[in-house]
Structure formats: structure tokens, C-alpha cells
Amino acid sequence: MDDDQTPLRPRSGRGSRGPTRLKRLALRRAVGEKTRVDIDVNTRVAFGPKAYEFMSYLGVVSRERLSILISSWDEVSEVDQNMIWEDVLVSFTF
């Protein structure tokens, strides 16, 4: 067989990156502990030691609950926005 006709084989070794699970946050949430996140009131951007965890959590929640076809937050229904906000309030305090 020529190099052009070589059948594709699965990669050996490590596979692709798996889904984000946020295990530590899930454990804290299971016992009812909330994570404190600071938000800049002018820019509305999270900062501080737990900012990255908060932003990762928002990504996970949005991927789980929203269609990939939604291109901006303005297109998300108010019902879905409220559902996501309630989910965030279970794990975080501001």
C-alpha cells in the first residue's frame, strides 16, 4: 500500500481531553458549602482566588443547558437565564 492509502489507525497513548467535572466544587456543593467569588461592579468580571473556578463552572452549566446554536446571551430565554442563575446560586455566593 502507498503512503496515500495507509488506513487510519487510532492514536496510541493518551486520548483527547475529557470533560470538565470540577470535582472539588461538586464535593463542596454536596455538603451545602458555597464558594465565595468577588465580582468587580464596574466591569462585571470575577476576580480573586476562586474566579477561574467560577468561570469554568459557568462554561460547564452553559454547555449542559444551552444549545450550541445560541450565539449570544441576549438570545437565551428568560426562563433558561433564571434556571442557570438558580443553579449558580446553589454553589456560589457573591
Side-chain angles (χ1 to χ4, degrees):
M1 229 181 243
D2 293 354
D3 286 337
D4 296 331
Q5 298 175 346
T6 304
L8 296 176
R9 285 177 272 166
R11 288 180 22 192
S12 61
R14 294 184 70 183
S16 63
R17 182 181 175 276
T20 302
R21 304 228 189 253
L22 299 173
K23 293 176 188 173
R24 286 178 282 167
L25 179 63
L27 291 172
R28 286 193 305 264
R29 185 177 177 161
V31 296
E33 183 180 325
K34 291 188 177 186
T35 303
R36 170 110 179 115
V37 177
D38 298 314
I39 307 284
D40 184 316
V41 294
N42 296 321
T43 62
R44 298 180 183 162
V45 175
F47 66 94
K50 299 295 182 177
Y52 183 76
E53 186 174 309
F54 175 66
M55 290 183 279
S56 294
Y57 182 74
L58 292 179
V60 169
V61 170
S62 62
R63 279 191 300 275
E64 286 177 354
R65 302 197 183 245
L66 302 176
S67 168
I68 195 168
L69 300 176
I70 296 174
S71 60
S72 75
W73 184 250
D74 295 331
E75 296 176 19
V76 178
S77 73
E78 189 172 335
V79 172
D80 287 336
Q81 288 181 10
N82 290 333
M83 185 173 45
I84 291 171
W85 181 242
E86 289 174 16
D87 195 347
V88 167
L89 290 177
V90 169
S91 299
F92 293 94
T93 185
F94 305 95

